[in-house]
Amino acid sequence: MTAYHADSSNLTDKEVLTWQGFGDASRELAQQVVDSGFEPDIIISVARGGMLPGGALTYAMGTKLTDAINVEFYTDVHETLPDPVLLAPMLDTESIKGQKLLVVDDVADSGRTLALVIELLEKFDAQVRSVVLYAKPSTIVEPDYVWRRTDKWIVFPWSAEPPVTPSA
């Protein structure tokens, strides 16, 4: 399955996160979570956008256990599927029962992906909190921890360039 690449080069009004900014954001978000007293047993990243922030938080917070849940929603800049869809491989739900989970994503845009994931995880009697780098005013779910708020399109350092192709 080939993933899309959202080309935002023609957008003039956008939020650009640099690698340095991402490092700072990761530490600041980790501090928010730690200061709140929440100590997750497992950090669950929403693939793909939440995987780098999730990995950074596992190190910043000293949390060893991590997993990912695959959700597809965006198909291009400002274009989505009608609803977010869970994709295989699926999360190991047996191991999350009754655990404290921190769900990590890059952005809560509409919030529908985050809502789907939280609802799914709470069915396993898990205590769920959510963290995002960015939240938009349109989100239907207010994440527990947010680094920045914006209504602009966000360019993340890991998805700013198209995927590499074979060399000539």
Side-chain angles (χ1 to χ4, degrees):
M1 170 184 252
T2 301
Y4 78 94
H5 170 70
D7 181 4
S8 62
S9 58
N10 63 340
L11 295 180
T12 55
D13 192 27
K14 55 190 169 189
E15 175 91 15
V16 177
L17 182 64
T18 63
W19 282 112
Q20 179 64 50
F22 169 63
D24 294 343
S26 300
R27 295 296 296 185
E28 290 173 26
L29 281 171
Q31 195 67 59
Q32 282 185 40
V33 176
V34 169
D35 287 349
S36 77
F38 185 69
E39 297 178 20
D41 300 307
I42 306 168
I43 292 179
I44 309 286
S45 300
V46 179
R48 292 182 308 162
M51 294 188 75
L52 275 83
L57 288 175
T58 65
Y59 281 97
M61 295 173 56
T63 304
K64 180 69 175 168
L65 299 178
T66 183
D67 207 337
I69 186 166
N70 293 290
V71 181
E72 183 175 34
F73 192 37
Y74 269 88
T75 57
D76 206 343
V77 176
H78 303 301
E79 291 180 18
T80 65
L81 297 171
D83 292 298
V85 177
L86 291 172
L87 301 175
M90 302 305 272
L91 183 68
D92 177 9
T93 53
E94 192 61 36
S95 66
I96 64 171
K97 287 183 180 173
Q99 300 291 318
K100 290 187 287 183
L101 308 176
L102 183 63
V103 175
V104 184
D105 207 354
D106 53 356
V107 59
D109 194 332
S110 69
R112 293 169 59 198
T113 297
L114 204 52
L116 173 73
V117 171
I118 291 169
E119 181 182 335
L120 172 72
L121 297 176
E122 286 178 340
K123 289 180 181 176
F124 296 96
D125 297 321
Q127 183 182 348
V128 182
R129 301 258 176 98
S130 59
V131 58
V132 296
L133 291 167
Y134 290 94
K136 294 195 176 183
S138 55
T139 184
I140 61 169
V141 173
E142 181 58 35
D144 296 288
Y145 312 99
V146 177
W147 181 64
R148 294 280 186 269
R149 296 178 186 279
T150 187
D151 60 356
K152 298 177 182 177
W153 179 260
I154 306 156
V155 179
F156 294 98
W158 50 85
S159 60
E161 299 289 328
V164 296
T165 57
S167 300

